[in-house]
Amino acid sequence: MSPLPVTKFLLFLDAGVVAVFYQAFFDESGTHAGSPIMTIGAYVFTKQKARLFTEQWSRKLKFFGISHAHMTDCATGNGEYSDLSMEQRIQTGVELIHAIRKNSLSGCAISIDAEYYSAAMKQGTHVYGPYTYLLLQSVDRISRFIAEKDKNAKINYFFESGHQSSAEAHRFMSSIETYGGVVGDNYNGHAFVEKHAFLPLQAADMLAWQYRHFLVRGSQGHKPRKDFLALIQENDYYSDVSKDKIKWLADLIKHVDPLKTRGPYDLLERVNKHLLANGFAV
């Protein structure tokens, strides 16, 4: 299954062929070489709320004179933010947080020490990279969160086109339909789209950046940023995968026969059951 073209995907969303209720948008932070932490952030919206977010945030983008939000440039004053004052850059963040809190249903941010994970998994017989592990856990969490609200719900997943992990993301998202269970049942499709055209991706960019920096700053003894605290909502999910969990997972996965699993999400289901049974949060 190849990625759905954007035009076809949007037509499918609006054609009434299947009732589509939810849309999840993903972005990542810390995937560059030397980063101590890799994070995937995602927000899930109802279809209507995704449109309202887009309308609200697009007006603010025009007001500030930028084409899209990008937290790295906002924090450093680079790119399109170079002509904005510090106060204006802060205000762009305030407005984005307001739009997120007003319209999103839930956020999910999961982080991992990518170098430690990769080293621990080298000897495994059925190994996924750190990005894929974060993606699997994020999709699993969002899927189950939505299923608790509506067991008949369907979810469309959106990723930024052209990002360095897009091929990996597509390969594993394409396997969801064969997985079965909750994740397979409420999967409706996925697409790779432009961040400046699909504005909720910019919300995910903020979440991934904020949570990664919260962890990095915390490890250096700094207090949480006020904008990160303002971003947090009741239904959000945050997880920093511990080294103990990675070690335990690496040992467990050595004994899993990949030929007896139905793909990465079936493997994830089995592994998570073992993790829960041994006192680890998943």
Side-chain angles (χ1 to χ4, degrees):
M1 173 182 166
S2 60
L4 293 169
V6 174
T7 52
K8 180 179 178 182
F9 196 75
L10 289 176
L11 177 63
F12 183 63
L13 287 180
D14 294 328
V17 177
V18 175
V20 178
F21 300 104
Y22 300 97
Q23 299 175 0
F25 298 84
F26 294 76
D27 203 5
E28 69 284 333
S29 181
T31 56
H32 57 280
S35 173
I37 296 174
M38 179 187 295
T39 302
I40 283 184
Y43 275 110
V44 59
F45 298 78
T46 64
K47 181 179 174 181
Q48 180 184 22
K49 284 291 189 176
R51 286 176 172 169
L52 291 173
F53 172 88
T54 298
E55 293 170 2
Q56 180 179 345
W57 182 232
S58 63
R59 289 194 296 269
K60 295 300 181 180
L61 288 173
K62 291 179 182 178
F63 175 81
F64 289 111
I66 55 178
S67 65
H68 65 283
H70 186 229
M71 277 302 302
T72 298
D73 288 341
C74 181
T76 59
N78 292 323
E80 293 187 0
Y81 292 83
S82 61
D83 293 331
L84 300 182
S85 66
M86 173 68 77
E87 291 75 15
Q88 288 173 317
R89 283 158 39 207
I90 291 173
Q91 192 59 33
T92 65
V94 170
E95 296 293 350
L96 180 52
I97 290 171
H98 175 70
I100 290 170
R101 291 183 62 89
K102 185 175 181 180
N103 296 292
S104 68
L105 185 61
S106 176
C108 174
I110 305 178
S111 294
I112 200 167
D113 183 327
E115 289 187 0
Y116 185 87
Y117 175 94
S118 297
M121 291 293 184
K122 274 186 178 179
Q123 305 302 316
T125 58
H126 196 61
V127 177
Y128 305 121
Y131 174 85
T132 302
Y133 177 77
L134 294 178
L135 177 62
L136 293 173
Q137 293 287 3
S138 300
V139 170
D140 185 72
R141 191 271 166 185
I142 289 172
S143 177
R144 295 180 187 281
F145 173 79
I146 294 300
E148 289 177 0
K149 293 183 169 295
D150 181 358
K151 65 179 181 181
N152 296 316
K154 294 292 183 180
I155 306 173
N156 290 307
Y157 298 90
F158 295 87
F159 303 88
E160 183 181 8
S161 61
H163 74 73
Q164 65 186 60
S165 301
S166 59
E168 190 175 352
H170 170 60
R171 184 159 64 99
F172 288 94
M173 293 302 296
S174 297
S175 72
I176 293 181
E177 287 182 298
T178 63
Y179 166 64
V182 173
V183 178
D185 289 345
N186 60 26
Y187 169 82
N188 194 58
H190 69 279
F192 296 84
V193 296
E194 296 294 334
K195 187 178 288 185
H196 68 271
F198 282 70
L199 273 58
L201 285 172
Q202 299 170 38
D205 171 88
M206 170 175 265
L207 181 61
W209 189 93
Q210 286 283 6
Y211 186 53
R212 186 174 77 87
H213 276 259
F214 164 73
L215 295 174
V216 172
R217 286 170 55 84
S219 69
Q220 298 169 347
H222 298 292
K223 295 180 179 180
R225 291 168 57 106
K226 292 181 179 179
D227 49 355
F228 174 65
L229 296 177
L231 185 63
I232 297 173
Q233 300 182 83
E234 182 179 355
N235 287 331
D236 289 351
Y237 175 84
Y238 298 92
S239 176
D240 180 27
V241 182
S242 69
K243 290 184 177 180
D244 285 343
K245 182 176 178 179
I246 293 172
K247 282 183 63 177
W248 198 91
L249 177 64
D251 184 64
L252 170 66
I253 210 167
K254 293 175 187 177
H255 306 288
V256 175
D257 185 351
L259 298 179
K260 293 182 180 179
T261 66
R262 295 176 294 150
Y265 287 93
D266 185 37
L267 176 62
L268 176 69
E269 178 85 351
R270 298 181 184 206
V271 168
N272 278 350
K273 286 181 179 178
H274 284 287
L275 290 171
L276 285 171
N278 286 270
F280 290 97
V282 297

